[in-house]
Amino acid sequence: MMMNNRLSFCSRDSWFNIVTLKVAIAALTLLMIAGSAHRLSHGETSNGAFELQVLTPEFWTLFDRKAQLTKLASGFGFTEGPVWDSSGYLWVSDETLNKIFKVNTSTGQKQEIISLGDPDGNTYDPQHRLLDCASVLRAIIRLSPDGKSYKIVVDHYQGKRLNSPNDVVLGPDGAIYFTDPTSDLPRGQKQELPFKGVYRIAPDGQLQLLTKDVEDPNGLAFSPDGTKLYVDDSTQRNIHVYDFHADGGLSNGRIFGTEPGGPKDGVPDGMKVDRNGNLYVVGPRGIWVWSPHGVHLGTIVVPEQPANLAWGDPDYSTLYITATTSVYKIGTRAHGFVPYLQAH
């Protein structure tokens, strides 16, 4: 009897432990799902391993078959706006931690430079000063040489506040061009402009609306010969191209390509161009590589969903990719077209 009671007691104890374990696993699963849902709100997908997904043989003219993706730094909230500096570091915006960092491209060590509400895309101006799309300020700002302070370059159009500037590039005419969607409009603030635009800031500071026919303008880039401006649309998941004119005007807008994906996949975002006119555009699962003629050559599949990218290293053949919580890099056979270098 004593033996049977002991066995009966152990059985009930084991059953209790199993139930407790199942409850714990269920709770942990729910927490993981909740965490994933938060990350997905920033565009992250669980993409798995790095891969060079090749669609045409031309892809191998741009990448070595043994090219590897390297994680340079991690531990961020949500990375954006990379800009490489010849001193050996990378500017990186963190939209979640609300800071701009410098990341050492040799060691991956990161240094906080300035606290700034929701910084986004960045570029250098002709004087090598950092321009940032400051979403909370609803402005394009210029950082001081040490990065510790800033001045507002523009924050209003025709007396109304901008929406939430997203990405910025220097044009072939020395003017500044940027997109202004509402995706990062600060909570509780009203949209004052009844559209989402692409703008030009002339060298004398005058702000000009170039187009408002892109539903959700995001990344933008110029062709190396300065005759085309590319703007992608995160809602329609496509890339627009315009003929660019010497006076800064645009004409003949048309669809260059589309980047379809699932509802939780990444969308067209930051983009860069190489010296031969190939486009490298953020899209579902990674970086979509396009020929100048609109042919999708292949995709750099990245373990975390990217948001933006930049050319770097002395030969400008390395792509630095800001992807959710990390910064990655990959070598290429191409050489990047970097607009602000042409201004020197």
Side-chain angles (χ1 to χ4, degrees), residues 43 63-64 73 113 153 193 232 281 322 324:
F63 293 90
D64 189 282
I113 300 301
V153 178
L193 294 165
D232 59 31
V281 187
T322 50
T324 314

Side-chain angles (χ1 to χ4, degrees), residues 291-306:
S291 77
H293 308 294
V295 177
H296 181 197
L297 304 179
T299 301
I300 309 168
V301 178
V302 182
E304 300 176 74
Q305 177 59 41

Side-chain angles (χ1 to χ4, degrees), residues 7 27 42 54 104 112 174 184 204 218 242 246 250 296 316:
L7 286 172
H42 291 91
V54 183
N104 187 300
E112 178 185 328
D184 289 321
D204 64 3
N218 197 319
Y242 299 86
L250 305 179
H296 181 197
Y316 290 93

Side-chain angles (χ1 to χ4, degrees), residues 146-309:
D146 63 3
K148 301 297 183 181
S149 62
Y150 64 85
K151 291 184 178 180
I152 291 177
V153 178
V154 64
D155 61 355
H156 284 74
Y157 175 69
Q158 295 185 343
K160 297 180 179 180
R161 296 187 71 184
L162 296 173
N163 299 320
S164 57
N166 185 280
D167 210 353
V168 59
V169 67
L170 196 68
D173 54 353
I176 299 166
Y177 293 79
F178 69 95
T179 54
D180 187 41
T182 57
S183 50
D184 289 321
L185 188 68
R187 182 175 298 179
Q189 295 188 19
K190 294 182 179 180
Q191 180 181 352
E192 297 183 16
L193 294 165
F195 54 81
K196 306 167 189 178
V198 179
Y199 293 88
R200 174 182 185 264
I201 307 174
D204 64 3
Q206 294 297 310
L207 183 61
Q208 174 188 359
L209 174 66
L210 297 181
T211 182
K212 53 184 179 180
D213 64 359
V214 180
E215 182 176 345
D216 197 10
N218 197 319
L220 73 173
F222 283 94
S223 61
D225 62 5
T227 63
K228 294 180 177 65
L229 174 65
Y230 301 94
V231 182
D232 59 31
D233 186 325
S234 293
T235 296
Q236 295 299 320
R237 294 176 177 263
N238 57 29
I239 304 164
H240 295 241
V241 60
Y242 299 86
D243 293 336
F244 179 78
H245 305 288
D247 62 357
L250 305 179
S251 66
N252 192 27
R254 55 209 184 271
I255 301 299
F256 173 82
T258 60
E259 296 187 344
K264 294 182 179 180
D265 288 345
V267 297
D269 203 326
M271 71 170 82
K272 293 296 182 288
V273 179
D274 69 24
R275 295 177 193 171
N276 290 325
N278 299 294
L279 276 72
Y280 303 72
V281 187
V282 168
R285 302 188 67 213
I287 307 298
W288 290 42
V289 183
W290 296 85
S291 77
H293 308 294
V295 177
H296 181 197
L297 304 179
T299 301
I300 309 168
V301 178
V302 182
E304 300 176 74
Q305 177 59 41
N308 216 325
L309 65 163

